[in-house]
Each structure stands twice: as C-alpha cells, then as structure tokens.
Amino acid sequence: MPGAAMTDFASRLVDSTRALGPLCVGIDPHPGRVPALFGGDTPEGLARWGEAIVEQVAGRAGVLKPQVGLFERLGPDGMRALQRVCDAAKAAGLIVITDAKRGDIGSTAEGYAQAYLGRHAPFASDAVTVNPYMGMDTLEPFLAAAEANGKGVVVLARTSNPGSADFQTQDMGGAPLYARVVEALQPAIERLTGASGWSSLMLVAGATGPDEARKLRALAPTCLMLVPGYGAQGSGAADALAGFVRRGNHLEGGVVNASRSVNFPEGAAEAADLGAWQRIIAAAIEAAQADLTSLSGVTDRAGTLAGS
C-alpha cells in the first residue's frame, strides 16, 4: 500500500470507536426538514445545516454517514452541498461513510469507485456503501480503490427495511441469500484485513434483525458492521449491538447509525437561534452515544474505561 503514513479504514474506525463510542451520525436532509435557520430545503440550506451538524458531531462521535440520495434530489447544487459536508467532516477529523449504495459493472463501477474512494475523490470519503446483488464483479473496482487508498467498502448484507425479507432471507440451498453473499465475500474480506485484525470490507447488518447479525458475525468474524435501524426505526441499543464481540472490557465490531433521532430531535425545528439549535443537537448526539456506550463499555472521552 503506497504511503508509509497511510492507515487502513478498519484500523481508523476501530481506533475512533474505542475513543468515542460506536455511534455513527447520519446526515439525512429529508425534504422539508432542514430548519429555515439554515436556509431550508435548498442546496445552500443543506450545506449549512450539514456543516453545522458536523460541528456538533466533532468530539462527541467519530463517524459521519451522509445519505447521498437526499442531496442528489436537488441536482448538481445538491451534490455540491454534499461535497461541502464531506469536506467539513474530513477537516474536523471525522470518518466519512458515504451512503450511496452503488452497484454497477465495468467502467461505470470504476467511475463510482473513484468518485468516493479515489485518491482525488470529489466526495471525500473513507468508505462507501455498495450493493452486491448484481454479482461479485461489481465490487472489484471498489475493492481495488479501497486497497490502494486505505479506504473501506461497506457491502449490503441484511438491511433494516421490511422489504429486505423479500430476497435477502430467502433460502438458497440451505442458507439464506444474505449468508451466501457473505460466503462469496470471504476472499475480499481477507484481502482487506489490516493491522487491527479487522477487515475494511464492512457489512450492513440492520438492528431490526439481531439474530441475523449474530449469524453474520459467525460467518464473518473479522468484518466490522454498519448497523442501521437504531433509534427512529425502533430498535434499541441491545439489538443494535447484537453482532458486536467482546474485546476485553468492551464490545467492538462496527458502528451503529442514528439519523433522524439526532438530525431532527424534538425542539430542533422550533429553535429560536443557532445557539439553541446547537444545544438540542449536541444533547441528542450525547444521549445516543451514552445509550450505546452504556452497553458496549467503550472508553469515554477522558480515556478511562466505562464501568471499570
């Protein structure tokens, strides 16, 4: 891997969660939800709001996950807003997992990979989500870019939406489809395993399926997990952490995403000024992180082990 100072994505993510906890803060600018305080549902409003979220995440959580589709709906200017949010997050020292769920073949996949994981990617990301259901060849450009640039690839395995059962849990010769996908991923998982012992090939494992998360952990013991479905989607911390493993006095194994509960907590839309909004958002992030760390037992911001 070029550049002696480069670390792999998995090592960076594990270091971050050990220091701050497993919370990943989503940036999901749903239509009509961005406060007028920042400019409302406009490209400039999305950019300013996203940058303001970044400021509140820094020091409280280490990982940010912008949802590309909610920026892309506003066209080129919306994508420029996404670029600003990614740049602000990187400047703040945050790990950026861009939620784009890309999946295509050949040169098209290569284009997507370079947009998010390339050395000079316009949407500066540490990792990007990808859909494997067109086949393993669709993943190769992302794996190659991750390997070359110390980045990560986050593969959809068992997602949190109700419709995931339509295909992902269907029997495929004695095992569900999501398990067959993870079996096929084993060479790639090994290929991206770094110094931490964790792989930079990450799996999406929804908090709404804790039993499946445990099965995924057995199938892929070195894979980190990105866990959606916590908070506003109804799953609690215990289900969200079901696929994590005990390492010493703490649970480890990925990050748990919260979006709406920390983007739009009660009172945020009505905040009278920026200071009031900042306090509400900071409190929501801290509450989610505390909820997760109370079970995971990770180190707190002072560096002492929680519960020790």
Side-chain angles (χ1 to χ4, degrees), residues 7-8 16 36 51 69 86 118 134 149-150 168 182 190 201 208 211 223 236 242 248 270 291 298 304:
T7 59
D8 62 276
S16 172
E51 290 167 343
C86 289
M134 279 180 65
N149 300 315
Q168 294 168 23
V182 175
E190 284 188 39
L201 190 151
T208 52
D211 290 339
C223 276
E270 298 78 32
D291 185 39
V298 298
T304 57

Side-chain angles (χ1 to χ4, degrees), residues 23 158-162 205-214 227-242 256-261 287-288 291-292 295:
L23 178 66
R158 177 66 165 95
T159 56
S160 60
N161 59 303
T208 52
D211 290 339
E212 286 91 346
R214 295 182 189 99
V227 183
Y230 165 74
Q233 291 190 49
S235 294
D239 286 345
L241 296 165
V256 178
N257 184 73
S259 296
R260 280 171 288 179
S261 60
D291 185 39
L292 294 168
L295 291 181

Side-chain angles (χ1 to χ4, degrees), residues 181-200:
V181 169
V182 175
E183 288 172 3
L185 288 171
Q186 293 302 321
I189 292 169
E190 284 188 39
R191 174 178 168 186
L192 294 187
T193 297
S196 66
W198 290 105
S199 178
S200 291

Side-chain angles (χ1 to χ4, degrees), residues 264-285:
F264 311 112
E266 185 176 356
E270 298 78 32
D273 53 41
L274 180 61
W277 179 89
Q278 289 172 330
R279 288 189 291 274
I280 292 167
I281 298 299
I285 293 170

Side-chain angles (χ1 to χ4, degrees), residues 3-174:
M6 188 189 304
T7 59
D8 62 276
F9 165 74
S11 296
R12 296 196 301 277
L13 187 134
V14 168
D15 286 347
S16 172
T17 61
R18 287 173 179 170
L20 290 168
L23 178 66
C24 168
V25 174
I27 299 279
D28 289 20
H30 290 279
R33 299 296 300 273
V34 173
L37 183 66
F38 298 100
D41 198 30
T42 65
E44 181 63 21
L46 267 60
R48 291 177 57 206
W49 173 79
E51 290 167 343
I53 293 276
V54 166
E55 289 181 6
Q56 298 311 306
V57 173
R60 295 183 172 94
V63 186
L64 195 81
K65 184 177 74 66
Q67 174 50 255
V68 172
L70 294 174
F71 289 88
E72 193 170 323
R73 67 188 174 84
L74 294 183
D77 288 340
M79 293 303 283
R80 278 188 277 274
L82 171 65
Q83 189 174 41
R84 280 175 55 179
V85 172
C86 289
D87 288 346
K90 295 306 295 177
L94 300 176
I95 293 172
V96 178
I97 299 175
T98 306
D99 197 351
K101 298 182 178 69
R102 299 307 191 203
D104 214 316
I105 58 174
S107 58
T108 309
E110 176 67 26
Y112 285 136
Q114 291 306 311
Y116 296 98
L117 304 181
R119 192 177 298 275
H120 303 292
F123 307 105
S125 309
D126 292 276
V128 65
T129 57
V130 297
N131 188 334
Y133 289 98
M134 279 180 65
M136 293 299 297
D137 58 331
T138 67
L139 302 183
E140 179 53 37
F142 296 94
L143 298 173
E147 195 171 32
N149 300 315
K151 302 297 181 73
V153 182
V154 187
V155 181
L156 303 182
R158 177 66 165 95
T159 56
S160 60
N161 59 303
S164 63
D166 292 345
F167 302 114
Q168 294 168 23
T169 61
Q170 294 300 304
D171 183 82
M172 297 287 289

